[in-house]
Amino acid sequence: MAIGKPKLVLALVVALLAVLAGTITYTGYLVIGVVAEYLGTGRFLAGLLLGILFARFPSVSQGKLRLVGLLPKPVRRPLIITLVALCLLYFVWQGEYVPALFTGFVTTFLVAFPWLRKTLFDRVSSSFFKFMPGRRPPERSDDMVIEGEFKERKE
């Protein structure tokens, strides 16, 4: 299907990405609402606090452009997943199942994203590059091929 109708597949992929972006955005709105409720503030202040916590700013250090933020890189992703999962538990506890469905989907997506990215990247890159550096080509065995080594003798 992808080879026969590339425009249709491209339109489908763009539509799925738009749905995913909308779902993640709505879940962010829900998370900010739960954080605002627990802090006893408005959504604006809760969003501002979360924005400051997760913000990254460009910095030039030793001639290299880097992103710096309040949270170190290994902490950001688990903290986001934990925050969304706690909101999922909050919505299930309150009996609000539609927001729980959205936060559950986004939690699952965030947990599965590294594996999904690696799998898709490997599949796409293998179709473009047969032999990538650091990878061995797949070993194929053919029963009809006889392999042998030949050495030349000096006489």
Side-chain angles (χ1 to χ4, degrees):
M1 181 175 158
I3 295 174
K5 299 179 181 180
K7 289 183 181 179
L8 179 64
V9 171
L10 183 62
L12 184 64
V13 167
V14 169
L16 286 175
L17 287 175
V19 168
L20 179 65
T23 304
I24 292 174
T25 302
Y26 180 62
T27 302
Y29 175 77
L30 293 173
V31 167
I32 289 172
V34 171
V35 169
E37 186 175 327
Y38 274 114
L39 294 177
T41 64
R43 285 183 186 269
F44 179 78
L45 186 59
L48 193 61
L49 289 173
L50 287 174
I52 290 170
L53 182 66
F54 290 110
R56 292 183 281 173
F57 301 101
S59 171
V60 178
S61 173
Q62 300 174 353
K64 294 182 181 180
L65 182 64
R66 298 188 177 166
L67 293 175
V68 294
L70 291 177
L71 297 174
K73 189 174 184 175
V75 174
R76 271 181 260 157
R77 182 176 173 75
L79 184 62
I80 291 172
I81 292 172
T82 303
L83 191 60
V84 175
L86 288 174
C87 288
L88 169 67
L89 292 175
Y90 171 81
F91 288 127
V92 169
W93 184 263
Q94 296 293 322
E96 299 174 11
Y97 296 111
V98 174
L101 182 69
F102 278 95
T103 54
F105 174 76
V106 170
T107 304
T108 305
F109 178 76
L110 289 174
V111 169
F113 182 72
W115 171 82
L116 185 66
R117 181 178 55 189
K118 182 182 179 312
T119 303
L120 288 176
F121 178 75
D122 288 347
R123 180 159 302 201
V124 169
S125 64
S126 70
S127 66
F128 286 115
F129 308 108
K130 292 293 181 191
F131 303 106
M132 291 183 65
R135 292 190 182 183
R136 298 182 62 198
E139 295 182 17
R140 297 180 183 167
S141 62
D142 189 357
D143 295 335
M144 302 302 290
V145 175
I146 300 173
E147 292 185 23
E149 290 185 25
F150 296 98
K151 293 184 180 180
E152 190 176 325
R153 277 197 269 169
K154 292 184 181 178
E155 292 185 38

